[in-house]
Amino acid sequence: MKKLLFLLLTSNILLLTSKAQDNDKIALAFKNSYTNETAAEYTNAIQNIKEVYAADNYEINLRLGWLHYMGGLFTESQTYYQTAMNLKPYSVEAKFGYVYPAAALGNWEQVKKQYVDILKIDANNTTALYRLGLIYYGAEDYMKAFTNFEKVVNLYPFDYNSLLMLAWSNFKLAKTREAKILFQKVLWASPSDASALEGLGYIK
Amino acid sequence: MRLILVVVFFLQIINSAKAQSPLTFSEVESRSYKLYSEQKWDSLIDYLRAANKAGINYYYLQARLGAALYEKKKYRSAAFAFQKALNYNSADSYAKNSLYYSLLNSTNTTASRYLSGKSESIRKETDTLGYNKMGFIYAEGGVKFCNKKEPLGNINYFNLGLRHSLGRSITLYHAFSFLGQYKHYQQIKQSNYYLGAWIQLGVNWKLCPSVHLFWINKSQQTEIPISPPRPLARASKSNEQAFSLVLQRSFRVFDLGAMASYNNFDGIKAGQFGGYLTLYPFGSNVFSATTTAVYHTRKMAAYQTVFKETINFKLLKYLWLTGEYAYGNEQVQLQSEATFPANNSLDPNNYRYSILLTSPISKSVSLYGFYQHEDKDENATNVSYTFNSIIFGLKIKL
């Protein structure tokens, strides 16, 4: 019995020691990667993290996603962000990360999907609402754009960017009275704003 | 000598290994951008296709591939590349407009018009080019010369056609034609009305229904034909109809179609079922070859399965040739914009072949000449005879 207890204790200590050593390795790898990233040495930064790579580690995959994006390796970046998303499906952070390489590749359908997925998790995420609104606006789907911008303005009534886009969405939907009021509010936030003045010019 | 062979052998291995080293995104992006900027279209096409095969695919790859194919006038292939680009970025106006022009330049005007209906930006930028409600007018006429004037006779033919669109997804073709056969003991006059439609169900899908109505007037026979003995035919009027439906799916270098038709020619209800494959090996309309196979439900030896081969190519800068050979009696042909879409003759074809030459003489006007040889058997007597048709026509873009 004593022997068994001794064995259990020893193995636990060994396990804890080994985990602590792993943790130290990973922490050092991250530290070195930050240093290399600051110096724009992305290949070295990637190498730092790859030395401790584990496919089931969310943080490592997330970090590699970012570093590959910064190094211009967009498809590889997407792969790591996707792995991170698979490990933590409710991670809004990983989805926002994925958006960067997807946009760089011109894969806007994938970008849109990430924002839609983010809003399923966090329905009032204003960043996703605003950016998705911009995508819809660019695609001339003004109704959907309006819905997104309206939600943001409801939460942040005096936010310049979303007020302006809500004004333009109203204008495109021929709601000129609402658009006029909104453009005027934009001018309170940003006097002499060129875009707001342009919008008001069309309405007059 | 042995040393040279060994060196050559190892060099080949090295080159082979180099060629097989996997492409990375950054290599593809930088090299393809360089080739694109330098407008080296052939190299860009080969390189991007290799990258795609290696599993690399993203918006800019497809957009650059489309641009290179477009510059090489491979408009059909370019259209498919731009469609793939739009899968990555459905709102991109460059890819949308380029797709529109690729479809237009590959003479797929129904698809380009359909696309313009889906995008306000395309409509704004291109409405003066691709969309006009009135499409074309056709006028053609000719004679079918019979080698056996007794008891048969030549047939005079005249046809007037109009193609126009109904909205941006539907194109209609109307044809009014008249045939007159003047045997010395009987006259047969036939008036036809044909209505065909192209319904664009998507950029790559077309549904083509058609209806063909025939009004036939036969005069009283003035004397009994030579053989076999039979009573004098009275004057008669009859109506016949034919209906067909074609569903076509377009792919990068081929179209695939399925067809079904029904007719009541000679008072007998019959159907035809079949399909066709059209190949565009060069990714453009410069050359195409269509193979058609059709099965007849009419249980007579004369109505066997029909096989047809059609080739279409640009012979000269301003001259297009379409050659066709059909074995068997095809009663209802697939939609065509000119000549007979249906063969309601009592006497079935054994085979036929034809040549169509088309020449655009200006931006709006094309002239065409058509020759067809039909080998037929007379229905009652089984006597073989031939028709040689010569038809000339004019197509005016409105």
Side-chain angles (χ1 to χ4, degrees), chain B residues 40-60:
Chain B
K40 292 181 178 173
W41 306 123
D42 288 321
S43 303
L44 182 58
I45 291 167
D46 291 340
Y47 186 70
L48 289 175
R49 282 190 168 151
N52 203 6
K53 267 191 186 167
I56 296 172
N57 203 4
Y58 56 103
Y59 167 78
Y60 291 110

Side-chain angles (χ1 to χ4, degrees), chain B residues 69-89:
Chain B
L69 289 163
Y70 190 94
E71 293 296 330
K72 296 296 292 180
K73 297 191 186 334
K74 297 186 181 212
Y75 300 118
R76 195 186 164 90
S77 296
F80 278 89
F82 287 123
Q83 283 182 72
K84 285 184 182 173
L86 284 167
N87 284 342
Y88 286 109
N89 188 356

Side-chain angles (χ1 to χ4, degrees), chain B residues 125-228:
Chain B
E125 289 184 35
T126 62
D127 241 354
T128 53
L129 289 175
Y131 177 60
N132 52 345
K133 290 196 175 84
M134 303 305 285
F136 301 96
I137 278 181
Y138 294 89
E140 62 185 29
V143 181
K144 291 180 79 161
F145 297 97
C146 184
N147 69 334
K148 287 207 161 79
K149 299 229 177 10
E150 300 289 343
L152 303 160
N154 295 342
I155 297 176
N156 296 331
Y157 160 75
F158 177 74
N159 179 62
L160 194 62
L162 168 69
R163 176 173 155 156
H164 68 96
S165 58
L166 210 61
R168 291 184 188 260
S169 300
I170 301 175
T171 303
L172 297 177
Y173 174 64
H174 308 261
F176 304 88
S177 51
F178 174 81
L179 293 92
Q181 188 173 28
Y182 303 97
K183 309 173 188 183
H184 78 260
Y185 58 85
Q186 188 183 40
Q187 290 175 23
I188 301 173
K189 292 179 187 174
Q190 179 173 296
S191 302
N192 304 343
Y193 170 67
Y194 172 85
L195 174 63
W198 287 266
I199 302 169
Q200 203 74 30
L201 301 176
V203 173
N204 298 318
W205 286 94
K206 273 193 195 37
L207 187 68
C208 308
S210 74
V211 58
H212 203 161
L213 307 173
F214 306 81
W215 296 272
I216 303 155
N217 273 319
K218 292 182 184 174
S219 68
Q220 167 90 33
Q221 276 186 331
T222 55
E223 61 183 78
I224 298 168
I226 296 163
S227 170

Side-chain angles (χ1 to χ4, degrees), chain A residues 72-76 103-110 112 135 138-140 142, chain B residues 24-26 56-60 86-91 96 119-121 124:
Chain A
L73 302 167
F74 302 131
T75 45
E76 292 84 347
L105 288 167
N107 295 350
W108 289 96
E109 294 309 301
Q110 291 172 347
K112 199 160 82 173
I135 291 173
E140 298 172 5
Y142 300 118
Chain B
T24 63
F25 162 75
S26 54
I56 296 172
N57 203 4
Y58 56 103
Y59 167 78
Y60 291 110
L86 284 167
N87 284 342
Y88 286 109
N89 188 356
S90 61
K96 270 193 208 174
S119 166
E120 197 184 326
S121 63
K124 274 183 195 164

Side-chain angles (χ1 to χ4, degrees), chain B residues 292-311:
Chain B
T292 308
V294 171
Y295 169 73
H296 240 295
T297 64
R298 195 159 165 176
K299 302 287 182 217
M300 283 174 67
Y303 293 87
Q304 61 260 31
T305 305
V306 178
F307 292 102
K308 184 165 74 173
E309 192 63 41
T310 313
I311 60 164

